[in-house]
Each structure stands twice: as structure tokens, then as C-alpha cells.
Amino acid sequence: LAAAAAAEQQGSAGRARVGLCVLCGLPAAGKSTLARALRRRLPQHPGWACALLAYDELIPPEAFCPREPEAGPAAPSPLLPRWKRSRRELLQCLERFLRALVTGGPLSAPATATQPAWERFLACCRGQGLLSSAEGHAGAGPYWTQAAASRPLYLILDDNFYYQSMRYEVYQLARKYSLSFCQLFLECPLECCLQRNRLRSHPLPDQTIYLMARKIEMPDLKKNAWERNSLVLKSFDCTSEDNEQIISLLATALENPVKQNEENTEQKEADRATCAASTVHQADQTCRRIISQTMKDAKDKNVLPGEMKSLSEELNKLKAEFLEDLRQGNNLKNQICIQSQYFDPATSVISSFQHKATNVVNKYILK
């Protein structure tokens, strides 16, 4: 494991480097078992400090309960469900921790997080030897322990993270502070997860796991460059080969922290493709309206029924050719404003189709 040794040596040359490792997968897939194993293993070999942030312990159970009635019928509803607010608070606490660790500045509570959320987070850090119980000077907050500052530190985030967007929020933190980032996705058969869950002291409803199984998004290394440091494991009962793969992934990520200005070219290409598809769809809808109005005008001007059929065929053929050119970017390239959220093809792209459609119908009307 030369890569792991190299990462440790490089980390000891300056301030300790920090890695964020996201565990994701269905409930009862084995994430917590793997997380605890990493928590024990990494300090021993390859000698990194390691702390576990278990969302089940840091987010209170009541956050997932149905919302209680407010003081009156006119009381405003919160913008986010309680569990989403709790996740956001936890992420804010994590960012404060990372900022203080990386910059050497004071560790203070986020302005938008509740005091209980911050206290739970601090207690978790103290319990794993990252913070001492002594308070710093002039309100600087708790002291860092040697484990948090002297060697590479991996923070293992244990949650379902079933949407890519949930994991991307953690990646954004890594990019903001030039930290390492990687993902371990535990792939476990649905029925196995259901059986394990039923044996728990506080099982989730089966329907919750069924719903999550339909929604879960696996890492997509081809589509998302930010997910390139990902590993899909078939079972929580890791073999020696799996162990080597995990350590290798963590070491590779540690050697290659995310750059603050890193460009996500694959995501940009995907966004452009989505926007182009939207443009074609809007153009198709507008062309249909033009054809419908053109046919109505032709009928009003007494174009014969047999000619109406030919006119319809000619206009639809023209539309098909126009849309294909638009898909291929063969014409009107410079008129498509990709970055405009309110792009209107009727005013900037459809004009040529309108002109050609008018020429077609004039052949029948002016006979």
C-alpha cells in the first residue's frame, strides 16, 4: 500500500490533510458496520486519524416525525421539513469545523444552526478525540487535539445519501476548502435490506425502504466528474480485496484533494445537452402552433381539400427537417441563447421556419 504510505508522509510535511468519505446506500445495507470498521482500522493502518459522523445519531429522531400543529391556524409553515432543516444544520456545523481546522481560526457555532444541533456535533467530535473538553481563549472555542491536527484525518459520513444532490453538497465543501473527497456505495439486495431492517430494535417501515430503493441514485462516474473517486461494494462483509480497494481509494483521494477552481466539464456538457433538448422541445411546440394556424388560414382562403392534405404533409416535412437541423446545430447556432433561463424560440429561432412555412402556403393560396 505504497499510495497510503505516501499520503501519510505528505500529510506530515505540513498541516494535516482532511478527507471526506461519504457512505451511501439503502437502510440496513451495512453502512454503519463498515463505518465502524473503518473507524477502528484507519488509525492502525495506514495510521490516519478517523472520525465517524453518523447522521442517525446527529439528527434527532423527532426530526422525522410528522409536524406538530403550530400555535394557531394562521401560523406560517416552515420552508423546509424538519429533517431537511436538520440535515442543513449538520452540514453547516461540519463546514464550521472544517473551516476552523483548515485555517487555524476559532471554532464557533453557525449563526443559522440551533444550539442543540451544535452541541450534538461538538459532543460527537469530543467523543472521538478531535476536540478537548477545555475551552479556548477569548471565545476561540474548544482546543484541537493532536489527533485532529498532526496527521491525515478522514471524516466518515454515514447516511443513506440516496440522491446525488445530497452527496454533491459534501463535495462542494471539499472543493471550497481544498479537501479530499470520495464515496463508498454499498449495494445490497432490497429483500436483504428489508430482512435486516426488521431485526432492528427500531425498524423503519418497509414502505420507506421501498420508496428509497426507487429513488436511490448510484454514483455515475461517466456522467459526473466529481464522483470519480467512488467505489461500489456488493456487501458490507468486505473481503481482503475489498479492504485493499477501500484503502487505495482513500489514499488516492487524499493525494488528490479537490481544487477550488476545478471545472466540472462533464456536468457543463450535460447541462448544455439538457438545455439544447429543451430548446428543441420548445421549437417543436411552436412549429406545431404555426402549422395549425397556417392550415386554418389556408382553409379560410378556400384551399381545396385535396391540396390541404398536400399542404399538411409539406409543412410537417419542413418541421421535421427544421428540428433535425436544430438538434444537429446545423443552423441558427448563434441565435440559441443557452444561458437564458427564459429562452423563447418563437422570437429567436422560429423566424426562419415561419418564413419558410409562409412560402409553402403561398404556393397553394396564390394559384
Side-chain angles (χ1 to χ4, degrees), residues 247-311:
I247 298 300
S248 177
L249 174 72
L250 296 176
T252 298
L254 203 59
E255 292 172 354
N256 299 278
V258 183
K259 298 178 182 178
Q260 291 184 358
N261 60 350
E262 186 170 282
E263 294 288 341
N264 191 346
T265 55
E266 287 84 354
Q267 189 64 47
K268 287 186 175 182
E269 287 299 323
D271 291 343
R272 277 194 286 267
T274 299
C275 187
S278 175
T279 299
V280 172
H281 173 72
Q282 293 178 60
D284 180 50
Q285 297 300 309
T286 306
C287 288
R288 290 174 185 270
R289 289 195 294 271
I290 291 173
I291 290 176
S292 178
Q293 184 60 47
T294 300
M295 295 297 295
K296 183 178 181 299
D297 292 343
K299 184 177 181 180
D300 291 342
K301 294 184 179 180
N302 300 318
V303 175
L304 297 176
E307 293 182 333
M308 288 286 289
K309 181 179 179 181
S310 299
L311 174 60

Side-chain angles (χ1 to χ4, degrees), residues 23 50 183 342-343:
L23 295 187
C50 180
Q183 300 179 141
Y342 302 102
F343 170 67

Side-chain angles (χ1 to χ4, degrees), residues 23-326:
L23 295 187
C24 40
L26 291 176
K31 299 182 298 297
S32 296
T33 301
L34 176 58
R36 290 191 294 268
L38 291 173
R39 172 86 172 86
R40 294 190 304 268
R41 186 183 308 146
L42 295 185
Q44 299 170 6
H45 184 74
W48 302 327
C50 180
L52 172 59
L53 302 181
Y55 277 51
D56 285 346
E57 298 174 6
L58 291 168
I59 296 178
E62 56 267 24
F64 299 93
C65 296
R67 180 171 168 263
E68 296 179 359
E70 299 290 347
S77 299
L79 295 177
L80 290 174
R82 284 191 295 177
W83 69 270
K84 286 190 176 181
R85 297 204 308 272
S86 295
R87 289 183 65 91
R88 178 172 292 181
E89 287 179 341
L90 178 51
L91 203 66
Q92 291 165 347
C93 293
L94 175 59
E95 178 170 8
R96 282 303 177 103
F97 174 89
L98 295 172
R99 181 196 301 175
L101 182 60
V102 169
T103 64
L107 179 61
S108 57
T112 54
T114 62
Q115 188 64 24
W118 181 239
E119 289 298 334
R120 282 193 300 271
F121 184 82
L122 290 181
C124 174
C125 293
R126 290 191 185 104
Q128 299 187 73
L130 299 181
L131 300 174
S132 69
S133 57
E135 296 298 318
H137 299 289
Y143 288 116
W144 301 110
T145 63
Q146 186 177 3
S150 63
R151 51 183 175 156
L153 167 65
Y154 253 110
L155 298 177
I156 309 295
L157 280 62
D158 176 14
D159 187 42
N160 300 308
F161 288 107
Y162 55 96
Y163 285 138
Q164 288 177 346
S165 59
M166 295 174 172
R167 309 192 295 265
Y168 187 68
E169 289 177 331
V170 180
Y171 169 81
Q172 287 177 308
L173 280 184
R175 182 173 60 185
K176 184 174 182 178
Y177 296 103
S178 297
L179 310 178
S180 303
F181 175 84
C182 62
Q183 300 179 141
L184 296 175
F185 185 97
L186 274 75
E187 189 175 34
C188 185
L190 175 58
E191 286 302 321
C192 182
C193 291
L194 291 168
Q195 291 174 10
R196 292 176 183 167
N197 173 68
R198 291 167 189 152
L199 297 175
R200 290 178 164 178
S201 56
H202 300 287
L204 294 172
D206 283 2
Q207 187 58 36
T208 299
I209 299 180
Y210 278 118
L211 180 62
M212 199 174 294
R214 291 197 296 269
K215 293 184 175 182
I216 197 164
E217 298 172 340
M218 292 182 64
D220 191 335
L221 282 64
K222 293 182 179 179
K223 179 181 177 182
N224 301 320
W226 63 271
E227 293 194 290
R228 64 179 178 271
N229 286 332
S230 299
L231 184 62
V232 177
L233 301 170
K234 295 295 183 181
S235 170
F236 76 88
D237 185 18
C238 297
T239 64
S240 58
E241 181 181 350
D242 290 330
N243 289 335
E244 291 180 6
Q245 285 185 300
I246 292 171
I247 298 300
S248 177
L249 174 72
L250 296 176
T252 298
L254 203 59
E255 292 172 354
N256 299 278
V258 183
K259 298 178 182 178
Q260 291 184 358
N261 60 350
E262 186 170 282
E263 294 288 341
N264 191 346
T265 55
E266 287 84 354
Q267 189 64 47
K268 287 186 175 182
E269 287 299 323
D271 291 343
R272 277 194 286 267
T274 299
C275 187
S278 175
T279 299
V280 172
H281 173 72
Q282 293 178 60
D284 180 50
Q285 297 300 309
T286 306
C287 288
R288 290 174 185 270
R289 289 195 294 271
I290 291 173
I291 290 176
S292 178
Q293 184 60 47
T294 300
M295 295 297 295
K296 183 178 181 299
D297 292 343
K299 184 177 181 180
D300 291 342
K301 294 184 179 180
N302 300 318
V303 175
L304 297 176
E307 293 182 333
M308 288 286 289
K309 181 179 179 181
S310 299
L311 174 60
S312 175
E313 292 175 351
E314 196 166 345
L315 287 173
N316 279 292
K317 180 181 178 182
L318 179 65
K319 176 175 75 77
E321 294 173 348
F322 171 78
L323 293 177
E324 182 59 29
D325 280 344
L326 193 57

